[in-house]
Amino acid sequence: MKLTDILRQINEEEEEDNKGQEFNIPKNMTLSSTSIPVAKLEDYLNDSSNYGMYSRNIQNAGSAALQSKIEQEKSKIFGPTGKSIKDRTPTAKIGKAKELWNSSDAGWRKDKAKDIKSRFPEFDITGWEELEFDELPKEAKKYNVFWDFITGPKLDALIKKVTSEFSTQENPLNWEEEDGRLVFPPDANPKFEVIEKTVDTVMKNAGISKKLYKLKPEDIKGFTPPKQETPTTPQPAGPSVLTLTLDPAKIKGKKNELNAIIKPLKNTYDQNFDYDQEKGVIKITNIKPERRADVRSQFGKFLKTTSPVKESLDFDLERYQMLRRAGIIK
């Protein structure tokens, strides 16, 4: 079997494999119940005490303003929380501690001093609020003393404090009422498995059995999948065969110069390069279209000028694409 036949068979098999693939329609997670009114389900979800450990998910599901406020408070208590490792090194944390302490008022400094003493009772914090960072006791300036160690309960307490002081009520989950059920849009909520665990926790803490509600993903209504366009390979500009006719008068006595051009091209194109010395015709098969002008220019001084450059116009696009894919065309 010829190589082009093998490649054509591969193409046909790939096309067959791609047939019937459906567009993945996005889904919403939905909560419904035949015995509990929707309003009651919302009451359970609006009660922050029902969320337990999942209350901290509001860091990602809350509004941008709330998320920003939580991050600010976390950095003030637990130190730098940047994604980069260099932002969380001891040196970086001490630098941030100094910056924050020196830029804060006496009230904040006094609260921070009390926080440190609550964890290290041996400190005498009298008058710390009047000192600059460099004037604090040496032990107090250690990064693991100045900054508290983050734990789940401490983070939950911080989030509860921030959300209670926020102007609007926000929850770790976002939902809308639709057709007698609650819908959790994917772009405003965590992953489905997290939604499921969170809702189950809320309902359990509210004393609701799993038998009384149903939680499942459903296709988004009215969604129209975008039209999928089949990518096309741009058709090369020009033929894949280059034919050059040399002028006997111009190559006379310049064999060495001509061979210096021919030799590297023959090495490059190998069996696709043919030089008929008797007729003075050079033919290069399967040459990239963008290379034709460059190769022709190398022979410019030796070409016949009485007739236009002859090029084969027989071009098989499918064959060209397959040979390019196989790496045969150079």
Side-chain angles (χ1 to χ4, degrees):
M1 181 181 290
K2 294 182 179 179
L3 177 59
T4 52
D5 294 331
I6 296 174
L7 291 172
R8 183 178 288 108
Q9 181 177 337
I10 293 174
N11 282 336
E12 290 174 352
E13 290 175 353
E14 288 180 349
E15 291 174 1
E16 188 65 30
D17 289 340
N18 291 330
K19 286 182 180 179
Q21 290 186 359
E22 297 181 357
F23 187 87
N24 291 326
I25 300 177
K27 300 178 182 294
N28 288 322
M29 183 66 85
T30 63
L31 173 63
S32 60
S33 174
T34 56
S35 57
I36 304 175
V38 173
K40 203 65 178 175
L41 293 175
E42 288 196 274
D43 288 342
Y44 301 144
L45 290 168
N46 279 320
D47 187 345
S48 59
S49 64
N50 285 334
Y51 283 89
M53 64 176 288
Y54 291 101
S55 62
R56 67 191 67 157
N57 286 345
I58 202 169
Q59 297 177 93
N60 303 315
S63 64
L66 179 59
Q67 291 184 46
S68 176
K69 183 64 176 176
I70 291 174
E71 287 303 313
Q72 290 175 19
E73 293 304 311
K74 282 171 60 179
S75 66
K76 289 180 180 180
I77 297 175
F78 305 117
T81 56
K83 294 181 179 180
S84 173
I85 295 179
K86 68 178 182 180
D87 293 335
R88 303 193 301 272
T89 62
T91 301
K93 288 190 173 185
I94 291 301
K96 184 64 178 180
K98 181 177 181 178
E99 176 188 338
L100 184 60
W101 180 273
N102 289 341
S103 63
S104 299
D105 57 25
W108 186 90
R109 293 181 182 184
K110 183 174 290 188
D111 289 340
K112 186 61 181 177
K114 290 179 179 179
D115 168 58
I116 295 175
K117 186 172 179 60
S118 69
R119 292 179 281 115
F120 300 92
E122 64 270 21
F123 282 117
D124 179 5
I125 62 173
T126 304
W128 277 20
E129 67 273 13
E130 303 298 331
L131 303 177
E132 291 297 294
F133 184 81
D134 290 338
E135 299 173 314
L136 293 174
K138 181 179 179 181
E139 292 299 315
K141 292 185 288 186
K142 291 183 177 180
Y143 78 94
N144 55 354
V145 173
F146 189 91
W147 301 116
D148 195 0
F149 182 73
I150 189 169
T151 63
K154 290 178 181 178
L155 179 58
D156 292 341
L158 179 148
I159 291 174
K160 184 177 181 180
K161 180 176 181 293
V162 173
T163 53
S164 66
E165 297 172 350
F166 220 63
S167 57
T168 58
Q169 179 183 354
E170 298 193 34
N171 297 298
L173 295 176
N174 294 294
W175 64 85
E176 301 170 354
E177 183 180 348
E178 182 182 296
D179 299 333
R181 58 201 171 96
L182 299 182
V183 177
F184 301 86
D187 57 348
N189 287 286
K191 295 180 179 179
F192 282 177
E193 55 265 31
V194 177
I195 296 177
E196 184 175 8
K197 291 178 181 179
T198 304
V199 171
D200 286 344
T201 298
V202 168
M203 295 303 161
K204 180 180 179 180
N205 290 335
I208 305 300
S209 169
K210 291 187 71 170
K211 296 179 180 180
L212 300 180
Y213 64 91
K214 182 180 292 185
L215 193 63
K216 65 176 182 177
E218 294 182 1
D219 293 345
I220 294 179
K221 291 185 177 181
F223 177 80
T224 303
K227 182 179 180 182
Q228 293 179 291
E229 297 182 358
T230 304
T232 57
T233 303
Q235 182 170 339
S240 63
V241 179
L242 176 64
T243 303
L244 305 174
T245 303
L246 306 179
D247 188 329
K250 293 180 179 180
I251 64 176
K252 186 176 182 180
K254 298 181 179 180
K255 183 177 180 181
N256 292 338
E257 184 178 351
L258 181 62
N259 286 339
I261 300 174
I262 291 176
K263 186 175 180 179
L265 289 173
K266 184 171 180 58
N267 290 337
T268 299
Y269 293 100
D270 195 20
Q271 295 180 0
N272 290 323
F273 185 94
D274 179 68
Y275 176 30
D276 187 334
Q277 297 187 39
E278 183 178 344
K279 297 181 179 179
V281 175
I282 294 175
K283 181 179 290 188
I284 303 176
T285 307
N286 294 328
I287 183 173
K288 292 182 180 179
E290 60 269 25
R291 285 278 296 147
R292 289 168 40 242
D294 179 56
V295 172
R296 186 189 301 114
S297 66
Q298 296 182 52
F299 292 96
K301 61 189 296 183
F302 301 117
L303 297 177
K304 280 188 175 181
T305 55
T306 54
S307 59
V309 177
K310 179 182 178 182
E311 295 181 352
S312 171
L313 297 178
D314 296 329
F315 178 69
D316 186 338
L317 175 60
E318 181 184 18
R319 182 171 181 270
Y320 173 84
Q321 291 172 338
M322 288 190 293
L323 291 175
R324 282 289 298 271
R325 181 179 175 184
I328 294 174
I329 298 180
K330 296 182 170 57

